[in-house]
Amino acid sequence: MKKKFAAFVLCVICLLSVAGCGQTKEDTTTPPAADQSMAADDYLTTIGGTYVELFPELSKAEYRTIWIDATTPLVGAENAETATDMLLGMCMAEPYGPEATEKYAADPDSMSFNCYFLGGVDKFVMDGHTITGLDAQGQEVFSHTYKLLDEKNENGFIFYQSEDENSGEFTYFAFSPDTMETTYHLEFRYAEDLNDLQSWFEGNYAYWNAAAIAEDYDQATMENVIELFATENLSEAE
């Protein structure tokens, strides 16, 4: 059993290193170009609300039972605790950028993602095409309006650029097409240089992919996002 579970862990590590911090709920087949363009053009208007970091919420002790219930059917009761810790740990690393690239090149088995917010932001507020970042005291870190870019990349993200000058590290945003209605969370990245958003594994933001959940999420949403995350990652790893 130990040997089997060790192999299982390696499979999940490989899966998560490619998938980032989550998968989609439905079939991920790329839609026709026209439909994809329309969806992208409207994307920011579909995610209005205030968002906090996902994984600090997922890791709260009060939700541990939900994790065990979700992982047990997939890996067995004897492995549920270990699988839960592994899934959370794979998205709660501190290093990113060149530091992470160097670390994981030397020790590939330790590969993990930083899925926290950067730049002193504690909460993101999405309001139409305006994105605002607030710090832990509720003070505004930035607030800009954003326009859609016709930018394609290997991760299928939707790109936006600030319409304001001197937007610093919040100049460009790249969103996964996740929504609270479809996958119960958001995934996105942001940077001053568009080139830093082209790959999860290279550049100043390598191994970083912010994950968020609506601040006013309810118990059902938490159950859904945990079940989705566990089922899609662990099922595909077996």
Side-chain angles (χ1 to χ4, degrees), residues 172-187:
Y172 295 98
F173 272 76
F175 289 90
S176 168
D178 297 291
T179 69
M180 289 300 301
E181 289 71 31
T182 57
T183 60
Y184 319 109
H185 75 295
L186 302 185
E187 295 181 28

Side-chain angles (χ1 to χ4, degrees), residues 71-173:
T71 56
T72 294
L74 300 166
V75 300
E78 69 276 24
N79 295 320
E81 294 280 357
T82 301
T84 296
D85 290 337
M86 181 196 64
L87 288 175
L88 289 170
M90 287 298 297
C91 293
M92 299 181 73
E94 292 293 338
Y96 68 90
E99 178 185 357
T101 301
E102 181 178 356
K103 176 182 178 180
Y104 302 143
D107 182 13
D109 290 344
S110 69
M111 184 185 298
S112 300
F113 275 82
N114 178 321
C115 291
Y116 298 110
F117 299 164
L118 303 181
V121 176
D122 187 68
K123 297 179 181 180
F124 279 95
V125 181
M126 312 295 186
D127 182 12
H129 284 266
T130 299
I131 303 175
T132 301
L134 304 176
D135 65 17
Q137 289 71 47
Q139 299 300 307
E140 186 176 288
V141 177
F142 78 96
S143 186
H144 305 300
T145 57
Y146 289 82
K147 62 182 179 181
L148 178 70
L149 295 181
D150 184 16
E151 183 77 20
K152 303 296 187 294
N153 84 326
E154 62 186 25
N155 302 322
F157 275 23
I158 304 165
F159 287 80
Y160 288 88
Q161 180 180 358
S162 171
E163 294 185 322
D164 302 323
E165 295 182 357
N166 303 318
S167 298
E169 65 183 301
F170 306 106
T171 299
Y172 295 98
F173 272 76

Side-chain angles (χ1 to χ4, degrees), residues 208-224:
W208 171 64
N209 188 44
I213 189 169
E215 182 181 38
D216 60 353
Y217 71 83
D218 57 18
Q219 181 78 7
T221 297
M222 180 56 62
E223 292 173 357
N224 285 334

